[in-house]
Amino acid sequence: MSGRRNRRSISARPLWVVMLLENNTFPEDSRVRNEATSLAAAGYRITVVAPRGRGQPRHEVIGGVEVRRFRLRAASGGAAALIGEFLLASSALNMTAIWALLRGADVLHLHNPPDTLFPAGWVARLAGRRVVFDQHDLAPELVGARTSAGWAIPIARWCERRTFRV
């Protein structure tokens, strides 16, 4: 990416990285915060899309990082609640990512869980953009630990394989 970055540094527009985060708020997720602020300090345009915590605005800039938040009700227990949370978050994140790609985003940085962000990754790859997958947790194992629904684990494995392929 350094060759591409050097070419871009000549132009007026820095590379735009869109980071998708579902399982924590921003800037509370220190791992994502450190990655995002480091990239912003290096001259990249960074947008983090994350769930909105209590009292957080829908949109703000923190340390040079544009933050866009969506409303997400955390799962309170059971397979249906967990899958509902993942579906809602995945819909919001995939739609926002595709919107950003249409507006010129250069890189999608996917954070898991969930491993359901591969559709946006497919669109990015088809558009010739780069995709970074940052594995925080083993999603099938997380599903197994948070629910007793054995049928959900093969679905989580299927999603994980699609994410790795992207």
Side-chain angles (χ1 to χ4, degrees), residues 27-39:
E28 289 72 21
D29 189 313
S30 60
R31 178 176 173 169
V32 176
R33 181 185 65 236
N34 291 340
E35 292 171 348
T37 56
S38 293
L39 287 169

Side-chain angles (χ1 to χ4, degrees), residues 62-85:
I62 301 172
V65 175
E66 176 187 18
V67 184
R68 296 196 167 275
R69 297 187 179 97
F70 59 94
R71 187 173 302 275
L72 179 65
R73 185 175 171 180
S76 58
L82 182 63
I83 290 170
E85 175 190 330

Side-chain angles (χ1 to χ4, degrees), residues 92-126:
L93 290 167
N94 278 295
M95 288 189 304
T96 303
I98 291 168
W99 174 82
L101 289 166
L102 291 171
R103 295 193 62 220
D106 299 293
V107 179
L108 280 186
H109 187 143
L110 313 176
H111 296 270
N112 88 327
D115 287 331
T116 54
L117 303 176
F118 59 87
W122 284 341
V123 172
R125 298 288 300 258
L126 287 171

